[in-house]
Amino acid sequence: MSLAIISPGRNPKVWIDALTFHEPEIDIQVYPDIDRPEDVKMALLWQHPPGYLSTLPNLKLISSLGAGVDHILSDSSIPEALPIVRIVDEKLTWSMTNYVVMGVLNFHRQITRYQADQQRKVWDMSKPEIPVKVGVMGVGALGGDVLDKLSYMGFPVFGFGFSEKRDFRYPYFPKDELKDFLAEINVLVCLLPLTPDTENILNLELFKKCKPGTFLINVARGKHLVEEDLIPALDQGYLSGALLDVYRTEPLPASHPFWDEKRVQLTPHIASVTNPQAASPQIIENFRRLKANLPLLNVVNRPKGY
Amino acid sequence: MSLAIISPGRNPKVWIDALTFHEPEIDIQVYPDIDRPEDVKMALLWQHPPGYLSTLPNLKLISSLGAGVDHILSDSSIPEALPIVRIVDEKLTWSMTNYVVMGVLNFHRQITRYQADQQRKVWDMSKPEIPVKVGVMGVGALGGDVLDKLSYMGFPVFGFGFSEKRDFRYPYFPKDELKDFLAEINVLVCLLPLTPDTENILNLELFKKCKPGTFLINVARGKHLVEEDLIPALDQGYLSGALLDVYRTEPLPASHPFWDEKRVQLTPHIASVTNPQAASPQIIENFRRLKANLPLLNVVNRPKGY
């Protein structure tokens, strides 16, 4: 009974080391060198070749190597009955929150304008704190923690999502109330899962419903944002700036207009990176539960897409 | 009975408007046009001309226009018996905390290195989060709130001060244990009051006791830092960078080496600015208490210096 790592283009060594540290006897096979496909019962996936899983006749469980599973669900060849689990990692949440809070505070304090002043040796105190109300799209483990931390720091916060939620601990807007949600806020954080409902949700039509000068933070998936709509939304004043960590094509191509756009701050998909040491115990635990036929951890709801 | 505003070089209008809003009948005189010095019972000071208060024969109370009183205590001509009060403002605390948390997060996430990458169109994910332990010098209203917010966000925090404190809610080091305090941390935040004990405390001898690569945030007073020691401490690796909001001379002279130093980020004394609207009610309240001979709010302990 072996575990397959199918993560083309990434170095699997950190995962092998971490998994072996937690379960020294584990039998791991790594794509493309899977010599005994019939032994593979569980597969760890990150951007696997679509259709490849049909070569594993005894596969019983799929695990994402991260929090997202859009890269798995987009492969329509995967049988409906095959369970999918994902990584739920406090460290992932912690990193994501710190990144988003950093982005909110840098906007609130106008730090990039002070940085520009320093370069020109200008002493100008007249950049006051921008009053900030933060709206988070997607209020799961990640979005909920962002809301908790920003609320504790004293910022008004609002949630938005695709489910009805009663008694949520902050003001919450379901999908039919997107316009009301956007009317409350001036910082928009996208932490949605990528599903057919949410793909391309950050588009010019949405930006036109924002308060003028809203600041966008996208830390979810590149496909949430219609990239060609961002600079027009800035030019037309719906948005005043953006902090992006994810892109439709990664690495971001050198020819992409975002690189040169001063109003857009870029980071290279580092807001929250799955840590193999932190994630391995739950992968091992699911591998054991699979063997023992026990209920799995962090199972994905496939119709919902997360 | 009148209130004098003595704040040379600053526009007093915002203060007059705010005080009058809260107490329409108030009699305000503004330096240098104080025509009835014998009427002045209370003086609001920010960098007054030393010795000037001796021209106010009936002065009974001094109030700082901010949280700090070093600019008042440095005038040795002020009689010992004259009470001094200062502004204690939740908004001041809120702003200060947000500024410091911003500085900590920007260091933790190495954001300035990602900004430099963007300018060069470089996609490089290999700038991991720097594990951060934050030490705050000065654990009064401001420092205590910084500790609370950073602790809630999950960062280990440590306090340092000039008093013994038992049962402080975080690990606390009194002045004799400065070396042990510095050995615990890699972000050093100065929020001390400026007193003879604390002037020049941020000097090369202290930086040599820091863990290599410590990041300095000074949001207290310019005179806490021996400015000529900072670049040597960076060059010798005791510090890796600094975020400064205060300077020995403000505005910072155009010839100052900090302007061009990439490892030092500057802001022009904006971390936390007293808001006249927020501060006026407590000034008015102290003016009323003075009239009614009631105990004053936020009285400064002169031997302690804050």
Side-chain angles (χ1 to χ4, degrees):
Chain A
M1 174 163 175
S2 70
L3 179 70
I5 300 177
I6 304 171
S7 172
R10 292 185 167 208
N11 181 353
K13 183 169 185 306
V14 288
W15 282 103
I16 297 168
D17 290 350
L19 292 162
T20 311
F21 176 83
H22 290 288
E23 181 83 325
E25 304 297 310
I26 198 165
D27 174 28
I28 299 176
Q29 300 188 62
V30 178
Y31 173 89
D33 304 318
I34 295 183
D35 305 324
R36 295 169 283 116
E38 66 283 2
D39 287 354
V40 174
K41 293 281 174 61
M42 177 172 176
L44 305 181
L45 304 188
W46 195 262
Q47 291 169 341
H48 68 285
Y52 179 78
L53 299 190
S54 62
T55 68
L56 306 172
N58 297 313
L59 186 65
K60 294 286 182 292
L61 176 59
I62 294 170
S63 176
S64 173
L65 276 173
V69 290
D70 46 291
H71 56 102
I72 298 172
L73 298 180
S74 62
D75 179 354
S76 59
S77 73
I78 296 178
E80 288 284 335
L82 203 54
I84 300 171
V85 296
R86 65 194 189 94
I87 303 297
V88 176
D89 175 1
E90 282 186 13
K91 172 62 175 59
L92 271 183
T93 306
W94 193 76
S95 296
M96 188 60 90
T97 296
N98 287 344
Y99 182 97
V100 173
V101 174
M102 175 187 74
V104 171
L105 290 173
N106 283 339
F107 171 69
H108 172 57
R109 301 306 299 247
Q110 306 206 55
I111 193 69
T112 54
R113 295 182 65 196
Y114 285 116
Q115 288 174 329
D117 279 357
Q118 180 174 354
Q119 290 189 351
R120 298 180 296 128
K121 301 192 185 187
V122 168
W123 178 281
D124 174 6
M125 300 175 70
S126 65
K127 295 170 191 67
E129 295 156 67
I130 296 172
V132 156
K133 294 183 178 186
V134 184
V136 177
M137 305 178 88
V139 298
L142 296 173
D145 191 62
V146 167
L147 290 165
D148 287 341
K149 298 290 165 46
L150 287 169
S151 174
Y152 184 77
M153 293 191 69
F155 293 101
V157 297
F158 304 83
F160 169 87
F162 279 75
S163 321
E164 289 288 334
K165 277 189 194 291
R166 293 187 184 194
D167 304 324
F168 190 62
R169 58 194 185 281
Y170 304 107
Y172 177 80
F173 297 82
K175 62 179 171 183
D176 298 339
E177 298 174 22
L178 175 63
K179 194 173 164 185
D180 301 322
F181 167 71
L182 296 171
E184 290 285 353
I185 63 170
N186 65 343
V187 174
L188 176 63
V189 178
C190 180
L191 271 166
L192 290 163
L194 183 64
T195 70
D197 274 340
T198 69
E199 188 168 342
N200 298 324
I201 191 170
L202 302 172
N203 58 46
L204 192 58
E205 193 189 343
L206 179 145
F207 298 143
K208 286 182 175 175
K209 299 185 181 107
C210 289
K211 280 199 247 185
T214 289
F215 188 80
L216 173 69
I217 300 178
N218 187 18
V219 279
R221 286 284 183 259
K223 286 183 178 170
H224 285 121
L225 173 63
V226 178
E227 291 184 346
E228 57 269 33
D229 284 1
L230 182 60
I231 294 176
L234 292 163
D235 288 342
Q236 293 165 49
Y238 303 119
L239 300 181
S240 61
L243 171 63
L244 305 179
D245 187 52
V246 290
Y247 312 90
R248 295 188 94 92
T249 304
E250 296 180 2
L252 191 67
S255 60
H256 200 290
F258 287 172
W259 286 112
D260 284 323
E261 174 52 61
K262 297 260 183 258
R263 295 166 294 183
V264 179
Q265 295 169 63
L266 310 180
T267 55
H269 205 145
I270 50 78
S272 183
V273 179
T274 307
N275 177 323
Q277 279 297 336
S280 288
Q282 61 189 271
I283 293 171
I284 298 291
E285 179 63 23
N286 269 330
F287 195 56
R288 289 179 186 151
R289 286 172 179 237
L290 180 67
K291 276 190 201 172
N293 205 19
L294 291 168
L296 300 166
L297 304 177
N298 308 321
V299 176
V300 171
N301 179 324
R302 287 176 72 159
K304 280 191 165 178
Y306 54 91
Chain B
M1 175 164 174
S2 71
L3 180 68
I5 300 177
I6 305 171
S7 172
R10 292 184 167 211
N11 182 351
K13 183 169 184 308
V14 287
W15 282 103
I16 297 168
D17 289 350
L19 291 162
T20 311
F21 176 84
H22 290 287
E23 181 82 327
E25 304 296 310
I26 198 164
D27 173 28
I28 298 175
Q29 300 189 61
V30 178
Y31 173 90
D33 305 316
I34 296 184
D35 305 323
R36 295 167 286 115
E38 66 284 0
D39 286 354
V40 174
K41 291 282 174 62
M42 178 173 175
L44 304 181
L45 304 188
W46 196 263
Q47 293 169 339
H48 68 284
Y52 179 78
L53 300 191
S54 63
T55 68
L56 306 172
N58 297 314
L59 186 64
K60 294 287 183 289
L61 175 59
I62 294 170
S63 176
S64 173
L65 277 172
V69 290
D70 45 290
H71 56 101
I72 298 172
L73 298 180
S74 62
D75 179 353
S76 60
S77 74
I78 296 177
E80 289 284 332
L82 204 53
I84 300 172
V85 296
R86 66 195 188 92
I87 303 297
V88 176
D89 175 1
E90 282 185 14
K91 171 64 176 56
L92 270 183
T93 306
W94 193 76
S95 296
M96 187 61 88
T97 295
N98 288 344
Y99 182 97
V100 172
V101 174
M102 175 187 74
V104 170
L105 290 173
N106 283 337
F107 171 69
H108 172 56
R109 300 306 300 247
Q110 305 207 57
I111 193 68
T112 54
R113 295 183 64 198
Y114 285 115
Q115 289 174 328
D117 280 358
Q118 179 174 354
Q119 291 190 350
R120 298 178 299 127
K121 301 192 185 185
V122 169
W123 178 281
D124 175 5
M125 299 174 72
S126 65
K127 295 171 191 70
E129 295 157 66
I130 296 173
V132 156
K133 294 184 177 184
V134 184
V136 177
M137 305 178 87
V139 298
L142 296 172
D145 190 62
V146 167
L147 290 165
D148 288 341
K149 298 290 164 47
L150 287 169
S151 175
Y152 184 77
M153 293 192 69
F155 293 101
V157 296
F158 303 84
F160 169 87
F162 279 75
S163 321
E164 290 289 335
K165 277 191 195 289
R166 294 187 184 194
D167 304 323
F168 190 62
R169 59 194 184 280
Y170 305 106
Y172 177 81
F173 297 82
K175 63 179 172 183
D176 298 340
E177 298 173 22
L178 175 63
K179 197 174 162 184
D180 302 320
F181 167 71
L182 296 172
E184 291 285 353
I185 64 170
N186 64 344
V187 173
L188 176 63
V189 179
C190 180
L191 271 166
L192 289 163
L194 183 64
T195 70
D197 275 339
T198 69
E199 187 168 343
N200 298 323
I201 192 170
L202 301 172
N203 59 48
L204 192 58
E205 192 189 344
L206 179 146
F207 297 143
K208 286 183 175 176
K209 299 186 180 106
C210 289
K211 281 200 247 185
T214 290
F215 188 81
L216 173 68
I217 300 177
N218 188 19
V219 278
R221 285 283 183 261
K223 285 183 179 170
H224 286 120
L225 173 63
V226 179
E227 292 183 346
E228 57 270 33
D229 285 0
L230 182 60
I231 292 175
L234 291 163
D235 288 341
Q236 292 165 50
Y238 303 118
L239 300 180
S240 61
L243 172 62
L244 305 179
D245 187 53
V246 290
Y247 312 90
R248 295 188 93 92
T249 304
E250 296 179 4
L252 191 67
S255 60
H256 200 289
F258 287 171
W259 287 112
D260 284 323
E261 175 51 61
K262 297 265 184 249
R263 296 166 294 183
V264 179
Q265 295 170 63
L266 310 179
T267 54
H269 205 147
I270 52 76
S272 183
V273 179
T274 306
N275 177 322
Q277 278 297 336
S280 288
Q282 61 189 272
I283 294 171
I284 298 290
E285 179 63 24
N286 268 329
F287 194 56
R288 288 179 187 151
R289 285 171 180 237
L290 179 67
K291 275 191 201 169
N293 205 20
L294 291 168
L296 300 167
L297 302 176
N298 307 320
V299 176
V300 171
N301 179 324
R302 290 178 71 161
K304 281 191 166 178
Y306 55 91

